[in-house]
Amino acid sequence: MPEDHAHAQARDASPKTRSLGFSTRMSHAGRAGTHVHGFVNPAVHRGSTVLFPNCEARREGAKHRFEQYMTYGTQGGPTHYALEDVIAEIEGGTRCLIVGTGLAACTVPLQAWLKSGDHCLVPDSVYGPVRNFCEGLLKGWGVETTYYDPVVDEAGMAALIRPNTKVVYTESPGSHSFEIQDIPAIARAAHARGCTVMTDNTWGIHHFMPFEKGVDVSIQALTKYVGGHSDVLLGSVTVNNEADWKTLRAAASQLGQYASPDDCWLALRGVRTMAVRLKRQERSGIEVARWLSARPEVQRVMHPALPEHPQHALWQRDFSGACSLFGVVFQPRYRLEDVTRFIDSLALFGIGASWGGFESLCIATTGNITRTAGTGEFGGPMCRIHIGLEEPADLIADLEQALARLAG
């Protein structure tokens, strides 16, 4: 069965755009092009059953299970393919799998590369639900996980790798505490022992090019900046060679992983404006983070783009920019209840999980962090802040009035 014509045009055009700027590529990738007759945006293609003209054509389809080829709804259609192409373009990879949530994007590759008796290395700063998965289903299946200090160096990583270590998982920066990992060094140590390197690159979307730094499997929660409007749940897994693609795609098919084409369409719409949102939110995030770092109530701000961040030099080396999510450690004289009162006093910041949308958010993180490798001492109660598209001056004024209530 031939590909959708508009999608085929979009795929043909993609390599020609690689030398263009990011904003330009996000405006043109994954759609039919400019000199065509039709709507600007591709249509939403929904469906379960795929019809074939005859039995031979259906038998032929089985040969294309690793390609963008419609055989059944769970294998995707033109809307999925367009988003796959756009995310692969952003990540710098060759093939991309779209799944229903960001957490599924984390867990599917772990299931694809690990089996009973294997060992996995995961940073102590990892996204909490990934730790839950490792301690739950993976442990039940006979996979052992060791949590390592996220700022480990190459020699330290090499010392942690066992004969049965198959996956080295990374997340840079770390959830809640924002440690930047030395991914190239970790990848060198891992590859020397035949391990697959995975990274949760959600914070680093566009700013960190994973495959240039030695990563084999790159994970994105498209719920965040790609969706951009806090109304979609999606994830992606991108790889950079055919062998890894077959491992990933086979596992996803066996698990029945699927994403709604309507959500894929919303993500395609979101990605058109992502470049300008990222730039604006990066600038606003740094402005607010700098203001907070000068406040007497604050011990430190955990934002990798600030010069005082312990891994700022690594961020400068490996990233081209920053997103607008960071952590704040308050002075040790304050308690969690004080931070709770501060957050409850904010008028422009929502209290809720996730980030990457147009709205600013703030949540308390003290008491919600699990650490088992001795990396859990932060010096004071903490919160996590996401800066949206509001005016920074308005956000700063809101933070200032809430800080006045910090001490009751």
Side-chain angles (χ1 to χ4, degrees), residues 30-74:
R31 65 183 181 93
T34 52
H35 293 180
V36 297
H37 177 252
F39 291 121
V40 170
N41 293 308
V44 180
H45 292 259
R46 305 180 188 91
S48 54
T49 298
V50 174
L51 298 178
F52 295 83
N54 52 56
C55 293
E56 178 57 32
R58 186 166 183 266
R59 285 192 293 269
E60 178 68 21
K63 301 176 183 177
H64 303 283
R65 64 186 182 279
F66 295 110
E67 301 170 20
Q68 291 177 330
Y69 188 95
M70 292 192 298
T71 57
Y72 186 68
T74 54

Coordinates of all heavy atoms in Angstrom, one line a residue, residues 30-74:
G30 N 7.5 17.6 8.4 CA 6.3 16.8 8.6 C 5.1 17.3 8.0 O 4.0 16.9 8.4
R31 N 5.2 18.1 7.0 CA 4.0 18.5 6.2 C 4.3 18.5 4.7 O 5.5 18.4 4.3 CB 3.4 19.9 6.7 CG 4.3 21.1 6.5 CD 3.7 22.3 7.0 NE 4.5 23.5 6.8 CZ 4.3 24.4 5.8 NH1 3.4 24.1 4.9 NH2 5.0 25.5 5.7
A32 N 3.3 18.7 3.9 CA 3.5 18.5 2.4 C 4.4 19.5 1.8 O 5.1 19.1 0.8 CB 2.1 18.6 1.8
G33 N 4.6 20.7 2.3 CA 5.5 21.6 1.6 C 4.7 22.9 1.3 O 3.6 23.2 1.8
T34 N 5.3 23.8 0.5 CA 4.8 25.1 0.2 C 4.0 25.1 -1.1 O 2.9 25.7 -1.2 CB 5.9 26.1 0.3 OG1 6.9 25.7 -0.6 CG2 6.4 26.3 1.7
H35 N 4.6 24.6 -2.1 CA 4.1 24.7 -3.5 C 3.1 23.5 -3.7 O 3.4 22.6 -4.6 CB 5.2 24.8 -4.5 CG 5.9 26.0 -4.4 ND1 7.0 26.4 -5.3 CD2 5.8 27.1 -3.6 CE1 7.4 27.6 -5.0 NE2 6.8 28.0 -3.9
V36 N 2.1 23.4 -2.9 CA 1.1 22.3 -3.1 C -0.3 22.9 -3.0 O -0.5 24.1 -2.5 CB 1.2 21.2 -2.0 CG1 2.6 20.5 -2.1 CG2 1.0 21.8 -0.6
H37 N -1.3 22.2 -3.5 CA -2.7 22.7 -3.3 C -3.3 21.9 -2.2 O -3.4 20.7 -2.2 CB -3.5 22.4 -4.6 CG -4.9 22.8 -4.5 ND1 -5.9 21.8 -4.4 CD2 -5.5 24.0 -4.4 CE1 -7.1 22.5 -4.3 NE2 -6.9 23.8 -4.3
G38 N -3.7 22.7 -1.2 CA -4.3 22.0 0.0 C -4.1 22.9 1.3 O -3.5 23.9 1.2
F39 N -4.7 22.4 2.4 CA -4.5 23.1 3.6 C -3.1 23.0 4.1 O -2.3 22.1 3.8 CB -5.4 22.5 4.7 CG -6.9 22.7 4.4 CD1 -7.8 21.7 4.3 CD2 -7.4 24.0 4.4 CE1 -9.1 21.9 4.1 CE2 -8.7 24.2 4.1 CZ -9.6 23.2 4.0
V40 N -2.7 24.0 4.9 CA -1.3 24.1 5.4 C -1.0 22.8 6.3 O 0.0 22.2 6.2 CB -1.1 25.4 6.3 CG1 0.2 25.3 7.0 CG2 -1.1 26.6 5.3
N41 N -1.9 22.5 7.2 CA -1.7 21.5 8.2 C -2.2 20.1 7.6 O -3.3 20.1 7.0 CB -2.4 21.7 9.5 CG -1.8 22.9 10.2 OD1 -0.6 23.0 10.4 ND2 -2.7 23.9 10.6
P42 N -1.5 19.0 7.9 CA -1.9 17.7 7.4 C -3.2 17.3 8.2 O -3.4 17.8 9.3 CB -0.8 16.8 7.8 CG 0.0 17.5 8.9 CD -0.2 19.0 8.6
A43 N -4.0 16.5 7.6 CA -5.2 16.0 8.2 C -5.0 15.0 9.4 O -3.9 14.4 9.4 CB -6.1 15.4 7.2
V44 N -5.9 14.8 10.2 CA -5.9 13.8 11.2 C -6.4 12.5 10.6 O -7.5 12.5 10.0 CB -6.8 14.1 12.4 CG1 -6.7 13.0 13.5 CG2 -6.4 15.4 13.1
H45 N -5.6 11.4 10.6 CA -6.0 10.1 10.1 C -6.3 9.2 11.2 O -5.3 8.8 11.9 CB -4.9 9.6 9.2 CG -4.7 10.3 7.9 ND1 -5.2 9.9 6.7 CD2 -4.0 11.5 7.6 CE1 -4.9 10.8 5.7 NE2 -4.2 11.8 6.3
R46 N -7.5 8.8 11.4 CA -7.9 7.9 12.5 C -8.3 6.6 11.8 O -9.0 6.6 10.8 CB -9.1 8.4 13.3 CG -8.9 9.8 13.9 CD -10.1 10.2 14.6 NE -10.1 11.6 15.1 CZ -10.6 12.6 14.4 NH1 -11.1 12.4 13.2 NH2 -10.5 13.8 14.8
G47 N -8.0 5.5 12.5 CA -8.4 4.2 11.9 C -7.9 3.0 12.7 O -6.8 3.1 13.3
S48 N -8.6 1.9 12.6 CA -8.1 0.7 13.1 C -7.8 -0.3 11.9 O -6.7 -0.7 11.7 CB -9.1 0.0 14.1 OG -10.4 -0.1 13.5
T49 N -8.9 -0.6 11.2 CA -8.7 -1.6 10.1 C -8.1 -0.9 8.8 O -8.5 0.2 8.5 CB -10.1 -2.2 9.7 OG1 -10.6 -2.9 10.8 CG2 -9.9 -3.1 8.5
V50 N -7.1 -1.5 8.3 CA -6.5 -1.1 7.0 C -6.9 -2.1 5.9 O -6.7 -3.3 6.1 CB -5.0 -1.0 7.1 CG1 -4.4 -0.7 5.8 CG2 -4.6 0.0 8.1
L51 N -7.5 -1.6 4.8 CA -7.9 -2.5 3.8 C -6.8 -2.6 2.7 O -6.1 -1.7 2.4 CB -9.2 -1.9 3.1 CG -10.4 -1.8 4.0 CD1 -11.6 -1.2 3.2 CD2 -10.8 -3.2 4.5
F52 N -6.8 -3.8 2.1 CA -5.8 -4.2 1.0 C -6.6 -4.6 -0.2 O -7.7 -5.1 -0.1 CB -4.9 -5.3 1.5 CG -4.0 -5.0 2.6 CD1 -4.5 -5.0 4.0 CD2 -2.7 -4.5 2.4 CE1 -3.7 -4.7 5.0 CE2 -1.9 -4.2 3.5 CZ -2.4 -4.3 4.8
P53 N -6.1 -4.3 -1.4 CA -6.8 -4.6 -2.6 C -7.0 -6.1 -2.8 O -7.9 -6.6 -3.5 CB -6.0 -4.0 -3.7 CG -4.6 -3.8 -3.1 CD -4.8 -3.6 -1.7
N54 N -6.0 -6.9 -2.3 CA -6.1 -8.4 -2.5 C -5.3 -9.1 -1.4 O -4.5 -8.4 -0.7 CB -5.7 -8.8 -3.9 CG -4.3 -8.2 -4.3 OD1 -3.3 -8.4 -3.5 ND2 -4.3 -7.5 -5.4
C55 N -5.3 -10.4 -1.3 CA -4.6 -11.2 -0.3 C -3.1 -11.0 -0.5 O -2.4 -11.0 0.5 CB -5.0 -12.6 -0.4 SG -6.7 -12.9 0.1
E56 N -2.6 -11.0 -1.7 CA -1.2 -10.9 -1.9 C -0.7 -9.6 -1.4 O 0.4 -9.5 -0.8 CB -0.9 -11.0 -3.4 CG 0.6 -10.8 -3.8 CD 1.5 -11.8 -3.1 OE1 1.1 -12.9 -2.8 OE2 2.6 -11.4 -2.8
A57 N -1.4 -8.5 -1.6 CA -1.0 -7.2 -1.0 C -0.9 -7.2 0.5 O 0.0 -6.6 1.1 CB -1.9 -6.1 -1.5
R58 N -1.8 -7.9 1.1 CA -1.8 -8.0 2.6 C -0.6 -8.8 3.0 O 0.1 -8.5 4.0 CB -3.1 -8.6 3.1 CG -3.2 -8.6 4.6 CD -4.6 -8.9 5.1 NE -4.7 -8.8 6.5 CZ -4.5 -9.9 7.4 NH1 -4.4 -11.1 6.9 NH2 -4.6 -9.7 8.7
R59 N -0.3 -9.9 2.3 CA 0.9 -10.7 2.7 C 2.1 -9.9 2.5 O 3.1 -10.0 3.3 CB 0.9 -12.0 1.8 CG 0.0 -13.1 2.3 CD 0.3 -14.4 1.6 NE 0.0 -14.3 0.1 CZ -1.1 -14.6 -0.5 NH1 -2.1 -15.0 0.3 NH2 -1.2 -14.6 -1.8
E60 N 2.2 -9.1 1.5 CA 3.3 -8.2 1.2 C 3.6 -7.2 2.4 O 4.7 -6.9 2.7 CB 3.1 -7.5 -0.1 CG 4.2 -6.5 -0.5 CD 5.5 -7.2 -0.9 OE1 5.5 -8.4 -1.2 OE2 6.6 -6.6 -0.8
G61 N 2.5 -6.8 3.0 CA 2.6 -5.8 4.1 C 3.4 -6.3 5.2 O 4.0 -5.5 5.9
A62 N 3.4 -7.6 5.5 CA 4.1 -8.2 6.6 C 5.6 -7.9 6.5 O 6.3 -7.9 7.5 CB 3.8 -9.7 6.7
K63 N 6.1 -7.8 5.3 CA 7.5 -7.5 5.0 C 7.9 -6.1 5.4 O 9.1 -5.8 5.5 CB 7.8 -7.8 3.6 CG 7.5 -9.2 3.1 CD 7.8 -9.3 1.6 CE 7.4 -10.6 1.0 NZ 7.6 -10.7 -0.5
H64 N 7.0 -5.3 5.7 CA 7.3 -3.8 5.9 C 6.9 -3.4 7.3 O 6.7 -2.2 7.6 CB 6.5 -3.0 4.9 CG 6.7 -3.3 3.5 ND1 7.9 -2.9 2.8 CD2 6.0 -4.0 2.6 CE1 7.8 -3.3 1.6 NE2 6.7 -4.0 1.4
R65 N 7.0 -4.3 8.3 CA 6.6 -4.0 9.6 C 7.5 -3.0 10.4 O 7.1 -2.5 11.4 CB 6.4 -5.3 10.5 CG 7.7 -6.1 10.7 CD 7.4 -7.4 11.4 NE 8.6 -8.2 11.7 CZ 9.3 -9.0 10.8 NH1 8.8 -9.1 9.5 NH2 10.3 -9.7 11.1
F66 N 8.7 -2.9 9.8 CA 9.6 -1.9 10.5 C 9.6 -0.6 9.7 O 10.4 0.3 10.0 CB 11.0 -2.4 10.6 CG 11.1 -3.6 11.5 CD1 11.4 -4.9 11.0 CD2 10.9 -3.5 12.8 CE1 11.4 -6.0 11.8 CE2 11.0 -4.6 13.7 CZ 11.3 -5.8 13.2
E67 N 8.7 -0.4 8.7 CA 8.7 0.8 7.9 C 7.4 1.6 8.2 O 6.5 1.1 8.9 CB 8.7 0.4 6.4 CG 10.0 -0.4 6.0 CD 9.8 -0.9 4.6 OE1 9.0 -0.4 3.9 OE2 10.6 -1.9 4.3
Q68 N 7.3 2.8 7.7 CA 6.1 3.6 7.9 C 5.1 3.1 6.8 O 5.0 3.7 5.7 CB 6.5 5.1 7.7 CG 7.3 5.6 8.9 CD 7.7 7.1 8.7 OE1 7.8 7.5 7.6 NE2 7.8 7.8 9.8
Y69 N 4.5 2.0 7.1 CA 3.6 1.3 6.2 C 2.4 0.8 6.9 O 2.5 0.2 7.9 CB 4.4 0.1 5.6 CG 3.7 -0.6 4.5 CD1 4.1 -0.3 3.2 CD2 2.8 -1.6 4.7 CE1 3.5 -1.0 2.1 CE2 2.2 -2.3 3.7 CZ 2.6 -2.0 2.4 OH 2.0 -2.7 1.3
M70 N 1.2 1.2 6.4 CA 0.0 0.9 7.2 C -0.5 -0.5 7.0 O -0.7 -1.0 5.9 CB -1.1 1.9 6.7 CG -0.9 3.3 7.1 SD -2.4 4.3 6.8 CE -2.6 4.2 5.1
T71 N -0.5 -1.3 8.1 CA -1.0 -2.6 8.1 C -2.2 -2.8 9.0 O -3.1 -3.6 8.8 CB 0.1 -3.6 8.5 OG1 0.6 -3.3 9.8 CG2 1.2 -3.6 7.5
Y72 N -2.2 -2.1 10.2 CA -3.2 -2.1 11.1 C -3.1 -0.8 12.0 O -2.0 -0.2 12.0 CB -3.2 -3.3 12.0 CG -4.4 -3.4 12.9 CD1 -5.7 -3.6 12.4 CD2 -4.3 -3.2 14.3 CE1 -6.8 -3.7 13.3 CE2 -5.3 -3.3 15.2 CZ -6.6 -3.5 14.6 OH -7.7 -3.6 15.5
G73 N -4.1 -0.3 12.6 CA -4.1 0.9 13.3 C -3.0 1.1 14.3 O -2.4 2.1 14.5
T74 N -2.7 0.0 15.0 CA -1.6 0.1 16.1 C -0.3 0.3 15.5 O 0.7 0.7 16.2 CB -1.6 -1.2 16.9 OG1 -1.5 -2.4 16.1 CG2 -2.9 -1.4 17.7

